[in-house]
Amino acid sequence: MEADVGAVQDLPDATPATKSLGTAANVPCVVVIMSTYQGERYVREQMQSVLSQLPARGTVLVRDDGSTDRTVDEIVALADPRITITTGRNLGFGPSFLTLLTLVPKDVDMVMLADQDDVWLPDKLQRAWEQLSPLDSKPGLYGSAQTFVDQDLRPLGRTPLLPRGPSFANALTENIIVGCTAALNRAALQLLQRAGVPSAVRFHDWWIYLVVSAFGVVVYDEEPALLYRQHGANVIGRHPGRVKRLQRAWKVIVRDDWVGSLLSQIHAFFGHYGELLSSHDRSLITQHFANYKNVAVPRWAGVFSLHRRHQSLIDDVVVRCLLALRKMRPHHPSRSAL
């Protein structure tokens, strides 16, 4: 089912944040994609923060991932012609966002990702465009820090500063570009559309970071660009408090098999983009991971590599331990290069 949303009267031409994006003759074509699921409580507030920044050639493409509440009704009630809604079966947040990417026209200037329950700060779109527009035909990905807030938008803190910058080596085993902050230029969109929706990829933002870091430029903005709402229904969140963080880490790493997701993603990446990689990046993968029955498996060379890949030393050690445990699982001795 597809529903086009009706018109709103007396919309402002542009907010201060979007007036500097260009004149009517060269204003960029921007598409914001949002996957929704059971988001009736917050989605209208977030949608309004997005719509207030759209340039003249801006649209929002929503895919509802099988909600049974009033999420779609809340969006339709905005009656804004810039919104297009599609609905479908529940795929999960990663495949749903990647499905949305395949629906974006190839000739757009910038694609931005938005979660259903955050609130954009007034200059978010402008800041992303300022970073991506100079890249021209080179694939570009923008991401930013976030301000954490509770369900009533009361501040809880902010993303810590990153001690190390984005890199392909980092992207292999860690994601630093949170999807709700991400923006892509046209070249990055077309690069990602080449692979479609790989069935082995669970985290859309990590996949985007991995692909673009291999072939383009990743820009990380240390200043928060949105209010990242933390509440009990977050699928992935950074809840305050040590106990909450440990509970969430246990769920993602152990119950949801985070290492399995990492290895499946590397295998999918090599299958779709391996032939395009530089010899250095190809070696970086094949020296640290092998192929076994169409999945990637870690090599001891990667576990004991002298090169640190993660932002945090503690995280780096933890991931190496997890990969070592996976490496020690019984499996067939015959392995081959990816």
Side-chain angles (χ1 to χ4, degrees):
M1 180 188 78
E2 180 170 321
D4 289 330
V5 183
V8 160
Q9 300 299 319
D10 300 321
L11 288 171
D13 293 334
T15 65
T18 59
K19 287 180 180 177
S20 63
L21 289 180
T23 64
N26 63 6
V27 67
C29 178
V30 178
V31 174
V32 178
I33 60 173
M34 179 187 296
S35 177
T36 59
Y37 179 71
Q38 307 294 80
E40 64 180 4
R41 183 173 180 182
Y42 305 115
V43 69
R44 184 183 293 210
E45 184 178 20
Q46 163 67 323
M47 188 65 76
Q48 289 170 334
S49 78
V50 172
L51 293 170
S52 69
Q53 300 185 39
L54 285 184
R57 299 173 63 205
T59 57
V60 181
L61 178 58
V62 178
R63 181 186 183 276
D64 186 76
D65 195 32
S67 294
T68 57
D69 65 357
R70 290 182 50 82
T71 300
V72 173
D73 295 334
E74 288 292 323
I75 299 173
V76 170
L78 291 169
D80 195 306
R82 296 171 294 179
I83 303 172
T84 298
I85 306 174
T86 64
T87 61
R89 64 184 179 88
N90 183 258
L91 301 175
F93 61 92
S96 185
F97 267 107
L98 292 178
T99 298
L100 279 167
L101 276 181
T102 68
L103 302 178
V104 177
K106 295 181 181 297
D107 59 349
V108 301
D109 298 305
M110 183 169 68
V111 183
M112 303 186 72
L113 281 64
D115 283 356
Q116 66 186 7
D117 46 8
D118 301 323
V119 174
W120 282 14
L121 295 179
D123 60 348
K124 175 172 167 54
L125 192 150
Q126 176 189 345
R127 284 160 56 186
W129 179 244
E130 287 175 349
Q131 295 292 333
L132 293 177
S133 57
L135 297 178
D136 296 324
S137 61
K138 194 172 186 65
L141 168 64
Y142 167 90
S144 76
Q146 312 103 56
T147 295
F148 303 130
V149 295
D150 67 12
Q151 61 186 12
D152 299 314
L153 303 183
R154 290 186 292 258
L156 299 172
R158 57 149 289 162
T159 311
L161 299 177
L162 294 180
R164 306 161 72 87
S167 69
F168 178 62
N170 174 241
L172 285 172
T173 56
E174 181 180 26
N175 179 38
I176 63 171
I177 304 297
V178 179
C180 58
T181 74
L184 304 161
N185 67 1
R186 181 187 303 174
L189 169 69
Q190 294 176 356
L191 178 67
L192 287 156
Q193 287 179 332
R194 171 189 176 101
V197 187
S199 60
V201 174
R202 181 183 173 204
F203 301 103
H204 62 288
D205 47 2
W206 192 0
W207 174 253
I208 291 169
Y209 174 41
L210 177 62
V211 173
V212 179
S213 68
F215 305 106
V217 175
V218 179
V219 178
Y220 185 80
D221 184 351
E222 291 283 7
E223 287 300 315
L226 58 79
L227 304 181
Y228 191 29
R229 199 190 307 256
Q230 302 296 289
H231 54 84
N234 286 113
V235 178
I236 298 291
R238 303 193 182 193
H239 294 265
R242 180 174 298 179
V243 174
K244 288 289 188 181
R245 287 197 296 269
L246 289 175
Q247 289 174 340
R248 184 54 57 101
W250 175 264
K251 176 183 181 296
V252 174
I253 293 174
V254 179
R255 196 180 78 183
D256 295 343
D257 191 16
W258 178 83
V259 174
S261 297
L262 180 157
L263 296 173
S264 295
Q265 177 168 274
I266 288 175
H267 191 273
F269 172 77
F270 203 82
H272 285 286
Y273 298 101
E275 64 185 30
L276 304 179
L277 288 170
S278 67
S279 57
H280 174 271
D281 288 346
R282 177 184 285 267
S283 296
L284 188 63
I285 296 178
T286 57
Q287 289 173 7
H288 293 174
F289 299 94
N291 179 59
Y292 171 66
K293 292 185 177 179
N294 295 321
V295 296
V297 294
R299 295 183 186 272
W300 289 119
V303 173
F304 294 110
S305 170
L306 297 178
H307 298 288
R308 177 176 153 189
R309 295 188 291 263
H310 278 243
Q311 302 294 320
S312 160
L313 179 59
I314 293 177
D315 288 347
D316 199 73
V317 172
V318 169
V319 170
R320 289 170 189 261
C321 291
L322 292 171
L323 290 174
L325 290 172
R326 180 61 63 99
K327 174 69 175 174
M328 290 187 289
R329 284 185 178 182
H331 55 73
H332 193 280
S334 175
R335 297 182 302 277
S336 62
L338 283 167

